[in-house]
Every structure is written in C-alpha cells, then in structure tokens.
C-alpha cells in the first residue's frame, strides 16, 4: 500500500484526450489524490456476508486455502438451510416463523459443517450454555459445529484456520454425516 508519493512524475498516466490542458490537470490531480493519498485509518472493511472483522479475516484465510463456505446461513430445526437474513428478512411470514436453530457465520454444505466466529460475549456462562444447546441440536441434524474464538483469529489465525480446514477435510473423508436431511 502506498504510504507516500515521492514525485507525481512517477505516476504513469495515459492521454485520455481531454478537451483542454486545464481539464487534464484537474483530472490528474483528482486521480493522484484518490489513488495515492496515504491511508490515515487502516481497519477492516465490511464485505457482504461477513458481519465482523474476525469473520472477514477467517474468510480470507479460508479462500487462500481454496475453501469457499457460504456466509451467514440460517439453519432450521428440520435441517434445512437458507442464505442469511439479508435474503429472508423481507418475507414477513418467514420473519415470524418458528424453527430457526441458529445462523452460522460460515457453512460448508457438502461437509455439513457450521463455523462460528465467537466474540468476547460468547465467554459468558449464559451464552456458553446457549452455544452448547445449539451445538447439540446441530449434531442431531448431522451438522458439525466448529467454534473459533475471535481472540484466536486475531492472534493466531493459522491455528484457527487449521481447525476449520481439518474439520472440512475429515468430513470429506468420512462422507455425509448421519442424520443428514
């Protein structure tokens, strides 16, 4: 990433056949400011389907390994899965229906693996109990839950990635899970 521009003459531009030299000068000034201004704030940017920076980091690491899970998948109590609230929230009947078990951050459909990127709130006793109940329900549906702590993603991304990759590979070797709907 550019942190400074030593000389505007280092920037390669092409002649866009602007009608005047003044317009060309304004365009080049705008282009240089847009493309070569040093970043003042470096932080994660939301990518559709990832709700938090920890999800984005893990998703990028999975992609680097050639793994492309579905993001934000709703898992119902009959084992059916649907793409996130983004698609279904507009359906008033669905919005008020029963049967939602959880929304997985990432879902490997063929392998039947739900990945959760757990933040600090997941350390609370009540949330741990809720997560354990969700894991149990998913297991009865033939879906393996893989929970990865956000702090682990932040401080040891390779370890987090290895846990998910290992689960995906193991599921691939073992074939479809029992109880698959």
């Amino acid at each position: 990433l550019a942190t400074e521009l030593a000389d505007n003459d280092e920037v390669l531009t092409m002649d866009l056949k602007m009608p005047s030299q003044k317009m060309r000068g304004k365009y080049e000034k705008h282009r240089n400011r847009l493309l070569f201004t040093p970043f003042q704030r470096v932080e994660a940017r939301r990518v559709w389907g990832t709700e938090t920076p920890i999800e984005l980091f893990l998703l990028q690491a999975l992609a680097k390994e050639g793994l492309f899970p579905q993001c934000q998948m709703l898992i119902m109590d009959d084992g059916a899965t649907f793409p996130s609230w983004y698609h279904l929230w507009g359906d008033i009947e669905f919005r008020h229906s029963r049967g939602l078990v959880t929304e997985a951050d990432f879902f490997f459909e063929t392998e039947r693996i739900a990945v959760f990127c757990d933040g600090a709130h997941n350390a609370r006793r009540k949330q741990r109990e809720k997560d354990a109940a969700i894991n149990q329900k998913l297991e009865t549906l033939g879906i393996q839950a893989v929970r990865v702590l956000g702090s682990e993603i932040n401080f040891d991304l390779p370890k987090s990635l290895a846990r998910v990759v290992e689960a995906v590979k193991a599921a691939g070797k073992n074939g479809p899970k029992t109880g698959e709907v």
Side-chain angles (χ1 to χ4, degrees), residues 13-15 18 20-28:
T13 59
M14 55 188 261
D15 186 4
M18 296 271 181
S20 72
Q21 185 63 29
K22 184 176 180 180
M23 281 183 74
R24 180 179 177 182
K26 284 185 174 194
Y27 170 78
E28 286 180 0

Side-chain angles (χ1 to χ4, degrees), residues 55-163:
E55 291 174 20
L56 177 60
F57 298 150
L58 186 57
L59 183 65
Q60 289 173 328
L62 288 166
K64 198 171 178 183
E65 294 295 315
L67 297 173
F68 301 95
Q70 296 177 15
C71 297
Q72 307 305 324
M73 289 296 287
L74 301 173
I75 301 173
M76 308 305 285
D77 61 7
D78 64 356
T81 59
F82 300 96
S84 93
W85 290 112
Y86 292 103
H87 296 289
L88 296 171
W89 191 250
D91 182 338
I92 294 193
E93 288 179 23
F94 181 85
R95 194 184 314 178
H96 298 291
S97 67
R98 298 184 192 276
L100 177 66
V101 174
T102 191
E103 182 177 21
D105 296 320
F106 305 121
F107 187 67
F108 292 92
E109 191 168 15
T110 303
E111 296 83 2
R112 305 285 288 169
I113 294 176
V115 179
F116 300 90
C117 300
D118 290 342
H121 71 282
N122 292 83
R124 297 180 190 134
R125 183 184 55 80
K126 204 172 203 177
Q127 186 63 44
R128 284 194 321 265
E129 291 169 358
K130 182 179 175 185
D131 290 345
I134 290 169
N135 292 354
Q136 181 64 41
K137 181 66 176 176
L138 291 175
E139 188 177 324
T140 65
L141 296 171
I143 298 172
Q144 178 185 353
V146 177
R147 293 194 175 271
V148 185
L149 295 175
S151 58
E152 182 181 271
I153 294 169
N154 280 331
F155 298 109
D156 196 353
L157 183 58
K159 181 179 177 183
S160 301
L161 176 64
R163 289 185 38 228

